[in-house]
Amino acid sequence: MSTQDSRRILFTHTRPQEGFRLLELTPELEKLLTSKDAPVLELKSPSTALAQAVVDPAAHDYVNLCTPTQTYRIRQVQSSNSLHVLRPSRGEISQADIKVVEDEAGESGALNLPDEAVTAIAKCSSTLELHTPPGGFSAVPFLEKSLRLYDRRSDDDIAMGGSADSTGPLGSREMREARENLFQDIPMSTVQCEQGWMELCAFVDGAEETACWRPSVRSRLAVWKRLVEGAFLQGIDLEKQFLVGDLWKSVLDDEDEQTEPPFPRALLEAVVRRICIADERPPLADDIIWASFDKVECTQWVGETYLGATAPTMSSAIGRNDFLRAWKDCLPETWRGEAVLSKLPNGCYNSPDPTTIYFVEPAQRQLTSKTASAPATAAKAKNTRNWHELLKGRR
């Protein structure tokens, strides 16, 4: 029987080890990173105060991985199977830097290693997983805590953190810079920050200083009522394309040009951007010049806004008939038939008794949804803890 000399590959171990981490990529993220124009990714985390105010006072610090459009929560998960990162040997390695079972080195204190030698330079005993909740992430809770509150309580009372007198309209560049500076502290992707900004009807105003505001639900309702009144008086059809500048002129008091506007123009434009037809909505960085409203979607928004302004808690619940009547009074005449409870978003109200309803905050609706989906999410997380099982399943 012929014999063959077995070739050995020398395995060594460096000390100290390098700080590599095993990061699991989702198929979408892998495709994005290997694309021709791969974007820059960001690691973002909120300040301790902001994280505790939004999530949980006992919540631990965390980091999100953000693409331009998506957000992933990074979680470190211990694995029962360690992964060693290997590097081919470069010839000579100091005996002090390796652990190797081999003949003792010569007087030089170095080992002459063959080309077949490999060195373990890192050991990964945990995996960094990218997690996205079933409903996705929302920047709204963070923006609500970061933006100043604009609250119009009456025709003569405006609360804007000290002053309601605007120094004049800001340019597009100034408003964009103010938004971008705010978004830097929000641990979400840029697109998700912009979506949250639009949902809250947030705006930038130059009252004393350039600042970012979010109008209260009462302020949003007041803007809508003034908008509908002005459109009716000026003959503006809200279901057809109109100039936003003409709509702004319709809400001003023509009797006295020196009278202060009822609210900043940027606020009206923010409300129009929120409720205009989505396909006609320009990017947030661009001015909104033309707009038109979808009757069904706009009616739904008005009903939800009115309920939030008049019955925000169970103790302030309003009668169903009273609510429907007031809701219709907030709409153009031809839209009144759309005001029915079935047109409101799912979960936006509760009924303490058969005759009354009150508003449910979006965060509370999300908590209910997350509670229902928690068992399935936990089972999925448990099944993805071992990287070797993941690799085996993708072969």
Side-chain angles (χ1 to χ4, degrees):
M1 179 180 294
S2 62
T3 60
Q4 296 179 346
D5 293 333
S6 60
R7 299 179 60 184
R8 295 184 302 169
I9 298 178
L10 191 60
F11 180 77
T12 64
H13 178 86
T14 61
R15 188 176 54 199
Q17 295 274 280
E18 298 186 25
F20 284 96
R21 292 292 183 270
L22 182 64
L23 175 64
E24 176 189 350
L25 297 180
T26 64
E28 297 81 6
L29 187 55
E30 179 184 6
K31 182 178 180 180
L32 184 65
L33 292 176
T34 56
S35 63
K36 182 178 180 181
D37 299 319
V40 175
L41 304 185
E42 295 181 282
L43 292 175
K44 302 177 72 174
S45 60
S47 64
T48 302
L50 184 58
Q52 292 178 347
V54 172
V55 185
D56 184 348
H60 297 288
D61 295 336
Y62 60 87
V63 176
N64 287 345
L65 177 66
C66 300
T67 71
T69 60
Q70 296 293 327
T71 300
Y72 301 92
R73 177 69 48 82
I74 298 179
R75 302 190 304 186
Q76 179 169 299
V77 180
Q78 297 297 324
S79 174
S80 59
N81 300 87
S82 298
L83 177 72
H84 292 270
V85 180
L86 305 181
R87 182 179 64 193
S89 172
R90 297 178 180 176
E92 292 188 352
I93 300 179
S94 173
Q95 189 177 15
D97 294 336
I98 64 173
K99 291 181 178 180
V100 60
V101 180
E102 186 59 273
D103 295 335
E104 294 184 358
E107 296 180 357
S108 63
L111 293 174
N112 293 321
L113 301 178
D115 293 337
E116 292 79 4
V118 293
T119 301
I121 62 174
K123 176 183 177 181
C124 301
S125 58
S126 62
T127 302
L128 297 180
E129 292 184 346
L130 299 181
H131 171 68
T132 302
F137 289 103
S138 173
V140 169
F142 294 95
L143 289 171
E144 287 179 332
K145 297 297 182 180
S146 302
L147 293 164
R148 298 186 185 184
L149 179 64
Y150 175 93
D151 188 18
R152 183 180 179 86
R153 300 185 179 90
S154 66
D155 290 340
D156 300 320
D157 184 7
I158 301 177
M160 284 186 68
S163 173
D165 298 327
S166 177
T167 59
L170 298 174
S172 299
R173 182 180 61 83
E174 295 171 301
M175 291 191 288
R176 183 178 66 254
E177 290 178 351
R179 284 195 305 268
E180 291 176 350
N181 290 336
L182 179 75
F183 291 168
Q184 288 179 358
D185 297 325
I186 307 299
M188 301 292 160
S189 69
T190 300
V191 167
Q192 289 168 320
C193 287
E194 291 179 349
Q195 290 173 344
W197 176 279
M198 183 197 65
E199 183 177 339
L200 292 173
C201 299
F203 64 99
V204 181
D205 189 71
E208 292 189 351
E209 60 177 341
T210 302
C212 300
W213 303 89
R214 63 174 179 90
S216 67
V217 65
R218 291 179 298 184
S219 296
R220 297 198 296 269
L221 183 62
V223 171
W224 168 256
K225 289 182 176 180
R226 191 70 178 253
L227 179 157
V228 172
E229 179 184 353
F232 174 77
L233 294 176
Q234 298 299 325
I236 299 175
D237 189 345
L238 298 178
E239 290 189 77
K240 297 180 180 180
Q241 274 204 336
F242 56 84
L243 282 168
V244 178
D246 290 344
L247 189 63
W248 170 247
K249 293 177 182 178
S250 73
V251 306
L252 300 178
D253 189 353
D254 294 332
E255 297 180 358
D256 187 358
E257 295 182 356
Q258 301 301 320
T259 302
E260 287 292 333
F263 40 76
R265 175 169 177 166
L267 174 54
L268 177 133
E269 292 178 349
V271 171
V272 171
R273 187 186 294 271
R274 168 64 181 84
I275 58 181
C276 72
I277 296 177
D279 293 341
E280 300 176 1
R281 184 181 296 135
L284 192 58
D286 297 341
D287 294 332
I288 182 167
I289 300 175
W290 293 90
S292 61
F293 298 154
D294 179 82
K295 177 172 62 175
V296 176
E297 294 183 4
C298 191
T299 299
Q300 181 187 79
W301 180 85
V302 173
E304 186 178 9
T305 302
Y306 183 86
L307 186 61
T310 57
T313 62
M314 184 170 63
S315 60
S316 60
I318 186 175
R320 292 189 178 214
N321 292 334
D322 293 337
F323 165 69
L324 289 173
R325 184 165 50 251
W327 182 8
K328 292 178 181 179
D329 290 342
C330 293
L331 299 172
E333 187 65 29
T334 57
W335 295 14
R336 293 172 64 89
E338 298 292 331
V340 292
L341 289 178
S342 60
K343 296 294 181 69
L344 291 175
N346 292 332
C348 83
Y349 69 89
N350 274 340
S351 299
D353 58 66
T355 62
T356 60
I357 61 173
Y358 67 93
F359 182 70
V360 177
E361 292 287 348
Q364 295 300 319
R365 306 174 210 171
Q366 293 176 1
L367 286 176
T368 303
S369 176
K370 289 180 180 179
T371 302
S373 61
T377 303
K380 181 179 179 181
K382 184 177 180 180
N383 292 333
T384 59
R385 291 296 171 90
N386 294 324
W387 62 266
H388 64 283
E389 293 292 343
L390 288 173
L391 296 178
K392 180 180 178 181
R394 294 178 182 177
R395 290 175 182 172

